[in-house]
Amino acid sequence: MSDQDKAPRPMKVLVTGGSGLVGRALQQVVGEEGGAKDAEWVFLSSKDADLMNPEETLSAFLEHEPTHVVHLAAMIGGLFHNMRHNLDFWRHNVIINDNVLQAAVKVGVVKVVSTLSTCIFPDKTTYPIDESMIHNGPPHETNFGYAYAKRMIDVQNRAYSQQFGGRFTAVIPTNVFGPHDNFNISRGHVLPGLVHKAYCAQKEGTPLVVWGSGRPRRQFIYSLDLARLILWVLTDYDEIDPIILSVGEEDEISIKEAAEAVVEAMDFKGGISFDTSKSDGQFMKTASNAKLRRYRPDVAFTPFKQAVKETCDWFAANYDSARK
Ligand code: NAP
Ligand code: GDP
């Protein structure tokens, strides 16, 4: 039978990192909204296959034979985890990405959506950052291992598209938070860290200690909003060049304001203090969502305070089983 005689395979989406913050949000959104609703979805965790291992990776792809892949799996952590483990972040992510993209080619996947991050952009830059600036200079010194590894996905996407013709692309989210986040205080990101610290401080009657000066600025995106946008990218975005998925520049806030939102959501009365002996990390990485808005002028985001409240409520209700 010639290739032309073969019927196109029904859409089957394999999600790597399906058990993480973004993966769980995608599970919820697919269930609720049925985006790509006729597709079959498979959500993988590290228990299904260690994606550091090329044989395990290929065998998972051969078992499921996906037509589409959302590649979320990564070694990921907050500023302080990155500062201590740049080598691990580099190696894990380069190896995972190479194994996943190569396995995708081997089983004839037609589209892969991988995940970069706005923290991989050059440290010394003009603002706002846009999609054309990924490779314009060294990343911030605190997370260079993660940043360079993630930047290579963009290189791989262009090379795979050139040599094999597949649609391998990437999304670039800003700081993500939501239910099922990693609430580990020393390894996780700022928002889940603040939620966990405020929860403990409330119990112990101590102040909430914010690390650093509280002055750095971030754009936060709720995991469920991000998941809806990833679904759209999977079905409707046809470029190889990546796309920033972010709230607007006007919604950038300071770490202090993020801490105040957590305090308000938890009705925490213990006060906030700042430990300025800890690093501030990158001061800002303000990203433009103009490209997203060109494609999706209708795009709407959950109000930050509402999303923080939902995350705090989820953490309190799931304290025993939450990652912490
Ligand atoms: P997460 O909650 O830490 O989840 C990581 C996922 O990767 C988990 O499902 C984990 O599986 C899986 N994984 C890790 N190592 C693996 C391995 N060796 N083999 C197989 N699976 C492995 O991460 P996330 O926050 O959802 O991030 C998803 C993606 O978005 C990542 O690529 C990240 O770089 C990107 N991103 C995240 C943020 C953010 O603020 N969180 C911002 C920008 C971009 P287990 O559950 O089994 O461990
Ligand atoms: P980044 O956005 O990639 O830099 O990573 P994070 O999500 O870890 O945010 C780091 C910023 O939040 C820095 O300015 C930290 O000083 C500040 N921060 C304040 N408290 C915390 C905390 O409890 N955990 C983390 N990870 N960062 C904190």
Side-chain angles (χ1 to χ4, degrees), residues 70-118:
V70 177
H71 173 37
L72 303 173
M75 178 174 178
I76 161 158
L79 166 66
F80 299 94
H81 195 33
N82 271 276
M83 285 169 72
R84 292 187 298 264
H85 297 98
N86 268 295
L87 178 63
D88 295 339
F89 276 94
W90 158 260
R91 290 198 68 244
H92 279 250
N93 288 315
V94 162
I95 293 169
I96 288 174
N97 297 337
D98 195 50
N99 288 342
V100 166
L101 296 181
Q102 190 60 17
V105 167
K106 285 196 176 149
V107 305
V109 168
V110 295
K111 184 164 181 180
V112 181
V113 177
S114 297
T115 13
L116 312 181
S117 165
T118 51

mmCIF file of all heavy atoms in Angstrom, residues 70-118:
data_model
loop_
_atom_site.group_PDB
_atom_site.id
_atom_site.type_symbol
_atom_site.label_atom_id
_atom_site.label_comp_id
_atom_site.label_asym_id
_atom_site.label_seq_id
_atom_site.Cartn_x
_atom_site.Cartn_y
_atom_site.Cartn_z
ATOM 1 N N VAL A 70 2.251 16.894 23.414
ATOM 2 C CA VAL A 70 2.483 18.102 24.219
ATOM 3 C C VAL A 70 3.606 17.728 25.175
ATOM 4 O O VAL A 70 3.433 16.859 26.043
ATOM 5 C CB VAL A 70 1.217 18.540 24.988
ATOM 6 C CG1 VAL A 70 1.535 19.757 25.861
ATOM 7 C CG2 VAL A 70 0.077 18.847 24.039
ATOM 8 N N HIS A 71 4.763 18.347 24.981
ATOM 9 C CA HIS A 71 5.948 17.951 25.754
ATOM 10 C C HIS A 71 6.167 18.926 26.922
ATOM 11 O O HIS A 71 6.684 20.026 26.744
ATOM 12 C CB HIS A 71 7.163 17.920 24.826
ATOM 13 C CG HIS A 71 8.450 17.684 25.537
ATOM 14 N ND1 HIS A 71 8.560 16.832 26.626
ATOM 15 C CD2 HIS A 71 9.706 18.180 25.323
ATOM 16 C CE1 HIS A 71 9.812 16.839 27.055
ATOM 17 N NE2 HIS A 71 10.522 17.646 26.287
ATOM 18 N N LEU A 72 5.725 18.482 28.112
ATOM 19 C CA LEU A 72 5.838 19.306 29.322
ATOM 20 C C LEU A 72 6.945 18.818 30.254
ATOM 21 O O LEU A 72 7.422 19.584 31.094
ATOM 22 C CB LEU A 72 4.512 19.268 30.098
ATOM 23 C CG LEU A 72 3.238 19.708 29.365
ATOM 24 C CD1 LEU A 72 2.009 19.448 30.241
ATOM 25 C CD2 LEU A 72 3.320 21.182 28.984
ATOM 26 N N ALA A 73 7.309 17.545 30.162
ATOM 27 C CA ALA A 73 8.225 16.965 31.152
ATOM 28 C C ALA A 73 9.551 17.707 31.173
ATOM 29 O O ALA A 73 10.118 18.028 30.127
ATOM 30 C CB ALA A 73 8.466 15.489 30.843
ATOM 31 N N ALA A 74 10.039 17.975 32.363
ATOM 32 C CA ALA A 74 11.289 18.720 32.504
ATOM 33 C C ALA A 74 11.748 18.621 33.948
ATOM 34 O O ALA A 74 10.953 18.335 34.853
ATOM 35 C CB ALA A 74 11.075 20.194 32.145
ATOM 36 N N MET A 75 13.043 18.866 34.149
ATOM 37 C CA MET A 75 13.503 19.168 35.505
ATOM 38 C C MET A 75 13.242 20.650 35.687
ATOM 39 O O MET A 75 13.707 21.474 34.898
ATOM 40 C CB MET A 75 14.988 18.877 35.677
ATOM 41 C CG MET A 75 15.471 19.234 37.069
ATOM 42 S SD MET A 75 17.171 18.747 37.387
ATOM 43 C CE MET A 75 17.370 19.375 39.061
ATOM 44 N N ILE A 76 12.471 20.971 36.702
ATOM 45 C CA ILE A 76 12.033 22.364 36.864
ATOM 46 C C ILE A 76 12.052 22.738 38.335
ATOM 47 O O ILE A 76 11.838 21.893 39.205
ATOM 48 C CB ILE A 76 10.637 22.561 36.201
ATOM 49 C CG1 ILE A 76 9.943 23.803 36.729
ATOM 50 C CG2 ILE A 76 9.718 21.396 36.350
ATOM 51 C CD1 ILE A 76 8.894 24.310 35.795
ATOM 52 N N GLY A 77 12.319 23.990 38.620
ATOM 53 C CA GLY A 77 12.347 24.439 40.005
ATOM 54 C C GLY A 77 12.462 25.951 40.071
ATOM 55 O O GLY A 77 12.658 26.616 39.048
ATOM 56 N N GLY A 78 12.353 26.484 41.265
ATOM 57 C CA GLY A 78 12.423 27.925 41.458
ATOM 58 C C GLY A 78 13.864 28.422 41.455
ATOM 59 O O GLY A 78 14.820 27.641 41.300
ATOM 60 N N LEU A 79 14.001 29.713 41.656
ATOM 61 C CA LEU A 79 15.304 30.385 41.630
ATOM 62 C C LEU A 79 16.358 29.669 42.474
ATOM 63 O O LEU A 79 17.472 29.411 42.017
ATOM 64 C CB LEU A 79 15.110 31.831 42.126
ATOM 65 C CG LEU A 79 16.358 32.623 42.497
ATOM 66 C CD1 LEU A 79 17.218 32.879 41.270
ATOM 67 C CD2 LEU A 79 15.959 33.956 43.149
ATOM 68 N N PHE A 80 15.994 29.321 43.724
ATOM 69 C CA PHE A 80 17.009 28.830 44.653
ATOM 70 C C PHE A 80 17.441 27.405 44.309
ATOM 71 O O PHE A 80 18.604 27.048 44.487
ATOM 72 C CB PHE A 80 16.498 28.974 46.099
ATOM 73 C CG PHE A 80 16.243 30.419 46.420
ATOM 74 C CD1 PHE A 80 14.970 30.986 46.256
ATOM 75 C CD2 PHE A 80 17.275 31.252 46.808
ATOM 76 C CE1 PHE A 80 14.743 32.327 46.501
ATOM 77 C CE2 PHE A 80 17.065 32.604 47.050
ATOM 78 C CZ PHE A 80 15.794 33.150 46.894
ATOM 79 N N HIS A 81 16.534 26.593 43.775
ATOM 80 C CA HIS A 81 16.877 25.246 43.313
ATOM 81 C C HIS A 81 17.791 25.347 42.087
ATOM 82 O O HIS A 81 18.786 24.626 41.978
ATOM 83 C CB HIS A 81 15.574 24.512 42.964
ATOM 84 C CG HIS A 81 15.732 23.031 42.823
ATOM 85 N ND1 HIS A 81 16.624 22.289 43.561
ATOM 86 C CD2 HIS A 81 15.092 22.140 41.995
ATOM 87 C CE1 HIS A 81 16.522 21.007 43.216
ATOM 88 N NE2 HIS A 81 15.621 20.899 42.264
ATOM 89 N N ASN A 82 17.472 26.275 41.170
ATOM 90 C CA ASN A 82 18.311 26.480 39.981
ATOM 91 C C ASN A 82 19.728 26.896 40.360
ATOM 92 O O ASN A 82 20.700 26.390 39.807
ATOM 93 C CB ASN A 82 17.692 27.558 39.084
ATOM 94 C CG ASN A 82 16.706 26.976 38.081
ATOM 95 O OD1 ASN A 82 17.097 26.517 37.021
ATOM 96 N ND2 ASN A 82 15.433 26.968 38.434
ATOM 97 N N MET A 83 19.838 27.833 41.314
ATOM 98 C CA MET A 83 21.164 28.366 41.674
ATOM 99 C C MET A 83 22.106 27.264 42.161
ATOM 100 O O MET A 83 23.302 27.325 41.947
ATOM 101 C CB MET A 83 21.017 29.428 42.785
ATOM 102 C CG MET A 83 20.461 30.745 42.269
ATOM 103 S SD MET A 83 20.006 31.872 43.612
ATOM 104 C CE MET A 83 21.600 32.362 44.209
ATOM 105 N N ARG A 84 21.518 26.226 42.783
ATOM 106 C CA ARG A 84 22.352 25.156 43.351
ATOM 107 C C ARG A 84 22.619 24.007 42.374
ATOM 108 O O ARG A 84 23.471 23.169 42.623
ATOM 109 C CB ARG A 84 21.665 24.581 44.608
ATOM 110 C CG ARG A 84 21.600 25.529 45.789
ATOM 111 C CD ARG A 84 21.058 24.817 47.020
ATOM 112 N NE ARG A 84 19.693 24.338 46.820
ATOM 113 C CZ ARG A 84 18.596 24.998 47.197
ATOM 114 N NH1 ARG A 84 18.706 26.167 47.783
ATOM 115 N NH2 ARG A 84 17.390 24.495 46.981
ATOM 116 N N HIS A 85 21.845 23.951 41.270
ATOM 117 C CA HIS A 85 21.898 22.735 40.437
ATOM 118 C C HIS A 85 21.948 23.029 38.943
ATOM 119 O O HIS A 85 21.281 22.352 38.159
ATOM 120 C CB HIS A 85 20.680 21.847 40.739
ATOM 121 C CG HIS A 85 20.643 21.348 42.135
ATOM 122 N ND1 HIS A 85 19.897 21.930 43.129
ATOM 123 C CD2 HIS A 85 21.307 20.319 42.730
ATOM 124 C CE1 HIS A 85 20.090 21.282 44.261
ATOM 125 N NE2 HIS A 85 20.934 20.314 44.050
ATOM 126 N N ASN A 86 22.735 24.038 38.542
ATOM 127 C CA ASN A 86 22.745 24.374 37.114
ATOM 128 C C ASN A 86 23.149 23.198 36.218
ATOM 129 O O ASN A 86 22.586 23.027 35.129
ATOM 130 C CB ASN A 86 23.658 25.581 36.861
ATOM 131 C CG ASN A 86 22.872 26.880 36.931
ATOM 132 O OD1 ASN A 86 21.993 27.117 36.113
ATOM 133 N ND2 ASN A 86 23.166 27.697 37.925
ATOM 134 N N LEU A 87 24.094 22.374 36.689
ATOM 135 C CA LEU A 87 24.520 21.238 35.857
ATOM 136 C C LEU A 87 23.379 20.242 35.674
ATOM 137 O O LEU A 87 23.116 19.775 34.558
ATOM 138 C CB LEU A 87 25.730 20.543 36.493
ATOM 139 C CG LEU A 87 26.211 19.315 35.712
ATOM 140 C CD1 LEU A 87 26.691 19.708 34.323
ATOM 141 C CD2 LEU A 87 27.317 18.590 36.475
ATOM 142 N N ASP A 88 22.678 19.919 36.773
ATOM 143 C CA ASP A 88 21.569 18.967 36.670
ATOM 144 C C ASP A 88 20.462 19.503 35.762
ATOM 145 O O ASP A 88 19.888 18.758 34.965
ATOM 146 C CB ASP A 88 20.963 18.679 38.056
ATOM 147 C CG ASP A 88 21.952 17.976 38.964
ATOM 148 O OD1 ASP A 88 22.908 17.379 38.437
ATOM 149 O OD2 ASP A 88 21.773 18.038 40.195
ATOM 150 N N PHE A 89 20.162 20.791 35.902
ATOM 151 C CA PHE A 89 19.105 21.365 35.057
ATOM 152 C C PHE A 89 19.497 21.289 33.579
ATOM 153 O O PHE A 89 18.669 20.995 32.728
ATOM 154 C CB PHE A 89 18.815 22.825 35.456
ATOM 155 C CG PHE A 89 17.845 22.931 36.601
ATOM 156 C CD1 PHE A 89 18.289 23.030 37.911
ATOM 157 C CD2 PHE A 89 16.475 22.916 36.367
ATOM 158 C CE1 PHE A 89 17.389 23.116 38.969
ATOM 159 C CE2 PHE A 89 15.566 23.007 37.420
ATOM 160 C CZ PHE A 89 16.030 23.101 38.726
ATOM 161 N N TRP A 90 20.758 21.562 33.291
ATOM 162 C CA TRP A 90 21.234 21.467 31.905
ATOM 163 C C TRP A 90 21.099 20.027 31.392
ATOM 164 O O TRP A 90 20.458 19.770 30.376
ATOM 165 C CB TRP A 90 22.686 21.955 31.812
ATOM 166 C CG TRP A 90 23.402 21.435 30.612
ATOM 167 C CD1 TRP A 90 24.273 20.389 30.553
ATOM 168 C CD2 TRP A 90 23.271 21.904 29.253
ATOM 169 N NE1 TRP A 90 24.695 20.185 29.267
ATOM 170 C CE2 TRP A 90 24.105 21.099 28.444
ATOM 171 C CE3 TRP A 90 22.533 22.925 28.659
ATOM 172 C CZ2 TRP A 90 24.215 21.279 27.069
ATOM 173 C CZ3 TRP A 90 22.651 23.111 27.281
ATOM 174 C CH2 TRP A 90 23.488 22.300 26.506
ATOM 175 N N ARG A 91 21.714 19.067 32.112
ATOM 176 C CA ARG A 91 21.778 17.688 31.612
ATOM 177 C C ARG A 91 20.393 17.064 31.510
ATOM 178 O O ARG A 91 20.041 16.472 30.491
ATOM 179 C CB ARG A 91 22.652 16.823 32.534
ATOM 180 C CG ARG A 91 24.129 17.162 32.466
ATOM 181 C CD ARG A 91 24.993 16.042 33.035
ATOM 182 N NE ARG A 91 24.965 14.851 32.208
ATOM 183 C CZ ARG A 91 24.488 13.672 32.579
ATOM 184 N NH1 ARG A 91 23.988 13.501 33.777
ATOM 185 N NH2 ARG A 91 24.513 12.641 31.768
ATOM 186 N N HIS A 92 19.602 17.160 32.566
ATOM 187 C CA HIS A 92 18.275 16.517 32.552
ATOM 188 C C HIS A 92 17.449 17.031 31.379
ATOM 189 O O HIS A 92 16.831 16.257 30.653
ATOM 190 C CB HIS A 92 17.527 16.783 33.860
ATOM 191 C CG HIS A 92 17.942 15.874 34.970
ATOM 192 N ND1 HIS A 92 17.137 14.891 35.484
ATOM 193 C CD2 HIS A 92 19.100 15.795 35.651
ATOM 194 C CE1 HIS A 92 17.775 14.247 36.432
ATOM 195 N NE2 HIS A 92 18.972 14.776 36.563
ATOM 196 N N ASN A 93 17.455 18.332 31.218
ATOM 197 C CA ASN A 93 16.549 18.886 30.203
ATOM 198 C C ASN A 93 17.044 18.639 28.784
ATOM 199 O O ASN A 93 16.248 18.316 27.898
ATOM 200 C CB ASN A 93 16.278 20.365 30.500
ATOM 201 C CG ASN A 93 15.389 20.489 31.727
ATOM 202 O OD1 ASN A 93 14.395 19.768 31.843
ATOM 203 N ND2 ASN A 93 15.752 21.339 32.662
ATOM 204 N N VAL A 94 18.360 18.725 28.568
ATOM 205 C CA VAL A 94 18.873 18.424 27.228
ATOM 206 C C VAL A 94 18.570 16.964 26.866
ATOM 207 O O VAL A 94 18.125 16.658 25.756
ATOM 208 C CB VAL A 94 20.388 18.715 27.163
ATOM 209 C CG1 VAL A 94 21.034 18.032 25.971
ATOM 210 C CG2 VAL A 94 20.620 20.211 27.078
ATOM 211 N N ILE A 95 18.792 16.064 27.825
ATOM 212 C CA ILE A 95 18.603 14.626 27.538
ATOM 213 C C ILE A 95 17.117 14.318 27.325
ATOM 214 O O ILE A 95 16.734 13.655 26.356
ATOM 215 C CB ILE A 95 19.218 13.769 28.674
ATOM 216 C CG1 ILE A 95 20.741 13.935 28.663
ATOM 217 C CG2 ILE A 95 18.829 12.306 28.530
ATOM 218 C CD1 ILE A 95 21.454 13.364 29.882
ATOM 219 N N ILE A 96 16.264 14.804 28.226
ATOM 220 C CA ILE A 96 14.816 14.557 28.079
ATOM 221 C C ILE A 96 14.326 15.092 26.729
ATOM 222 O O ILE A 96 13.614 14.402 25.984
ATOM 223 C CB ILE A 96 14.022 15.204 29.239
ATOM 224 C CG1 ILE A 96 14.245 14.439 30.545
ATOM 225 C CG2 ILE A 96 12.522 15.276 28.911
ATOM 226 C CD1 ILE A 96 13.606 15.087 31.771
ATOM 227 N N ASN A 97 14.722 16.315 26.400
ATOM 228 C CA ASN A 97 14.209 16.915 25.157
ATOM 229 C C ASN A 97 14.689 16.143 23.935
ATOM 230 O O ASN A 97 13.921 15.919 22.985
ATOM 231 C CB ASN A 97 14.644 18.379 25.063
ATOM 232 C CG ASN A 97 14.047 19.200 26.188
ATOM 233 O OD1 ASN A 97 13.026 18.828 26.765
ATOM 234 N ND2 ASN A 97 14.700 20.306 26.524
ATOM 235 N N ASP A 98 15.957 15.733 23.954
ATOM 236 C CA ASP A 98 16.484 14.991 22.809
ATOM 237 C C ASP A 98 15.761 13.651 22.674
ATOM 238 O O ASP A 98 15.363 13.256 21.570
ATOM 239 C CB ASP A 98 17.992 14.788 22.978
ATOM 240 C CG ASP A 98 18.620 14.351 21.667
ATOM 241 O OD1 ASP A 98 18.372 15.005 20.637
ATOM 242 O OD2 ASP A 98 19.344 13.339 21.659
ATOM 243 N N ASN A 99 15.575 12.952 23.792
ATOM 244 C CA ASN A 99 14.890 11.653 23.729
ATOM 245 C C ASN A 99 13.462 11.804 23.213
ATOM 246 O O ASN A 99 13.002 11.023 22.378
ATOM 247 C CB ASN A 99 14.854 11.007 25.120
ATOM 248 C CG ASN A 99 16.228 10.501 25.550
ATOM 249 O OD1 ASN A 99 17.115 10.323 24.717
ATOM 250 N ND2 ASN A 99 16.403 10.287 26.843
ATOM 251 N N VAL A 100 12.753 12.800 23.703
ATOM 252 C CA VAL A 100 11.331 12.972 23.336
ATOM 253 C C VAL A 100 11.197 13.362 21.857
ATOM 254 O O VAL A 100 10.407 12.773 21.108
ATOM 255 C CB VAL A 100 10.659 14.029 24.242
ATOM 256 C CG1 VAL A 100 9.308 14.464 23.681
ATOM 257 C CG2 VAL A 100 10.478 13.464 25.649
ATOM 258 N N LEU A 101 11.980 14.334 21.422
ATOM 259 C CA LEU A 101 11.817 14.798 20.033
ATOM 260 C C LEU A 101 12.255 13.717 19.047
ATOM 261 O O LEU A 101 11.627 13.518 17.996
ATOM 262 C CB LEU A 101 12.583 16.105 19.821
ATOM 263 C CG LEU A 101 12.059 17.289 20.647
ATOM 264 C CD1 LEU A 101 12.844 18.554 20.359
ATOM 265 C CD2 LEU A 101 10.567 17.546 20.399
ATOM 266 N N GLN A 102 13.313 12.973 19.396
ATOM 267 C CA GLN A 102 13.784 11.906 18.513
ATOM 268 C C GLN A 102 12.758 10.770 18.450
ATOM 269 O O GLN A 102 12.477 10.236 17.374
ATOM 270 C CB GLN A 102 15.143 11.404 19.027
ATOM 271 C CG GLN A 102 15.864 10.465 18.092
ATOM 272 C CD GLN A 102 16.176 11.062 16.722
ATOM 273 O OE1 GLN A 102 16.135 12.277 16.525
ATOM 274 N NE2 GLN A 102 16.434 10.206 15.760
ATOM 275 N N ALA A 103 12.175 10.411 19.590
ATOM 276 C CA ALA A 103 11.143 9.362 19.592
ATOM 277 C C ALA A 103 9.928 9.822 18.789
ATOM 278 O O ALA A 103 9.299 9.024 18.077
ATOM 279 C CB ALA A 103 10.732 9.029 21.034
ATOM 280 N N ALA A 104 9.612 11.097 18.881
ATOM 281 C CA ALA A 104 8.459 11.621 18.131
ATOM 282 C C ALA A 104 8.676 11.451 16.628
ATOM 283 O O ALA A 104 7.757 11.061 15.895
ATOM 284 C CB ALA A 104 8.239 13.100 18.475
ATOM 285 N N VAL A 105 9.889 11.716 16.167
ATOM 286 C CA VAL A 105 10.185 11.529 14.742
ATOM 287 C C VAL A 105 10.079 10.057 14.370
ATOM 288 O O VAL A 105 9.485 9.700 13.354
ATOM 289 C CB VAL A 105 11.606 12.056 14.410
ATOM 290 C CG1 VAL A 105 12.056 11.593 13.040
ATOM 291 C CG2 VAL A 105 11.611 13.571 14.458
ATOM 292 N N LYS A 106 10.612 9.204 15.242
ATOM 293 C CA LYS A 106 10.636 7.771 14.916
ATOM 294 C C LYS A 106 9.240 7.187 14.749
ATOM 295 O O LYS A 106 9.053 6.260 13.966
ATOM 296 C CB LYS A 106 11.414 6.993 15.979
ATOM 297 C CG LYS A 106 12.915 7.206 15.835
ATOM 298 C CD LYS A 106 13.708 6.169 16.600
ATOM 299 C CE LYS A 106 15.195 6.383 16.315
ATOM 300 N NZ LYS A 106 16.050 6.007 17.426
ATOM 301 N N VAL A 107 8.246 7.687 15.486
ATOM 302 C CA VAL A 107 6.895 7.115 15.350
ATOM 303 C C VAL A 107 5.999 7.980 14.459
ATOM 304 O O VAL A 107 4.799 7.753 14.384
ATOM 305 C CB VAL A 107 6.207 6.849 16.719
ATOM 306 C CG1 VAL A 107 7.078 5.958 17.597
ATOM 307 C CG2 VAL A 107 5.835 8.123 17.432
ATOM 308 N N GLY A 108 6.576 8.971 13.782
ATOM 309 C CA GLY A 108 5.809 9.743 12.791
ATOM 310 C C GLY A 108 4.830 10.741 13.377
ATOM 311 O O GLY A 108 3.767 10.991 12.797
ATOM 312 N N VAL A 109 5.176 11.323 14.537
ATOM 313 C CA VAL A 109 4.318 12.365 15.132
ATOM 314 C C VAL A 109 4.259 13.572 14.183
ATOM 315 O O VAL A 109 5.293 13.995 13.653
ATOM 316 C CB VAL A 109 4.882 12.783 16.511
ATOM 317 C CG1 VAL A 109 4.206 14.039 17.022
ATOM 318 C CG2 VAL A 109 4.724 11.644 17.507
ATOM 319 N N VAL A 110 3.070 14.137 13.963
ATOM 320 C CA VAL A 110 2.966 15.248 13.010
ATOM 321 C C VAL A 110 3.145 16.617 13.676
ATOM 322 O O VAL A 110 3.495 17.583 13.021
ATOM 323 C CB VAL A 110 1.621 15.227 12.238
ATOM 324 C CG1 VAL A 110 1.526 13.990 11.363
ATOM 325 C CG2 VAL A 110 0.434 15.332 13.175
ATOM 326 N N LYS A 111 2.896 16.686 15.002
ATOM 327 C CA LYS A 111 3.050 17.981 15.657
ATOM 328 C C LYS A 111 3.488 17.785 17.107
ATOM 329 O O LYS A 111 2.901 16.965 17.833
ATOM 330 C CB LYS A 111 1.726 18.766 15.610
ATOM 331 C CG LYS A 111 1.852 20.171 16.205
ATOM 332 C CD LYS A 111 0.683 21.045 15.814
ATOM 333 C CE LYS A 111 0.829 22.448 16.380
ATOM 334 N NZ LYS A 111 -0.279 23.310 16.013
ATOM 335 N N VAL A 112 4.497 18.556 17.527
ATOM 336 C CA VAL A 112 4.931 18.561 18.929
ATOM 337 C C VAL A 112 4.883 19.997 19.430
ATOM 338 O O VAL A 112 5.404 20.906 18.781
ATOM 339 C CB VAL A 112 6.378 18.041 19.089
ATOM 340 C CG1 VAL A 112 6.780 18.053 20.571
ATOM 341 C CG2 VAL A 112 6.546 16.641 18.513
ATOM 342 N N VAL A 113 4.246 20.179 20.579
ATOM 343 C CA VAL A 113 4.283 21.493 21.249
ATOM 344 C C VAL A 113 5.117 21.333 22.511
ATOM 345 O O VAL A 113 4.718 20.643 23.450
ATOM 346 C CB VAL A 113 2.858 21.976 21.617
ATOM 347 C CG1 VAL A 113 2.934 23.304 22.366
ATOM 348 C CG2 VAL A 113 1.979 22.082 20.387
ATOM 349 N N SER A 114 6.300 21.933 22.535
ATOM 350 C CA SER A 114 7.167 21.874 23.716
ATOM 351 C C SER A 114 7.039 23.173 24.512
ATOM 352 O O SER A 114 6.413 24.129 24.060
ATOM 353 C CB SER A 114 8.627 21.670 23.296
ATOM 354 O OG SER A 114 8.785 20.438 22.627
ATOM 355 N N THR A 115 7.676 23.183 25.697
ATOM 356 C CA THR A 115 7.521 24.352 26.585
ATOM 357 C C THR A 115 8.868 24.990 26.911
ATOM 358 O O THR A 115 9.729 24.348 27.506
ATOM 359 C CB THR A 115 6.857 23.940 27.917
ATOM 360 O OG1 THR A 115 6.872 22.527 28.024
ATOM 361 C CG2 THR A 115 5.465 24.437 28.035
ATOM 362 N N LEU A 116 9.005 26.230 26.518
ATOM 363 C CA LEU A 116 10.151 27.047 26.950
ATOM 364 C C LEU A 116 9.682 27.854 28.154
ATOM 365 O O LEU A 116 8.706 27.495 28.805
ATOM 366 C CB LEU A 116 10.605 27.954 25.798
ATOM 367 C CG LEU A 116 10.788 27.293 24.425
ATOM 368 C CD1 LEU A 116 11.252 28.305 23.399
ATOM 369 C CD2 LEU A 116 11.765 26.146 24.513
ATOM 370 N N SER A 117 10.326 28.983 28.447
ATOM 371 C CA SER A 117 9.936 29.803 29.594
ATOM 372 C C SER A 117 10.503 31.204 29.391
ATOM 373 O O SER A 117 11.570 31.360 28.781
ATOM 374 C CB SER A 117 10.529 29.186 30.867
ATOM 375 O OG SER A 117 10.467 30.114 31.926
ATOM 376 N N THR A 118 9.851 32.211 29.929
ATOM 377 C CA THR A 118 10.405 33.571 29.761
ATOM 378 C C THR A 118 11.690 33.765 30.565
ATOM 379 O O THR A 118 12.394 34.740 30.347
ATOM 380 C CB THR A 118 9.386 34.665 30.154
ATOM 381 O OG1 THR A 118 8.865 34.367 31.445
ATOM 382 C CG2 THR A 118 8.285 34.798 29.141
#
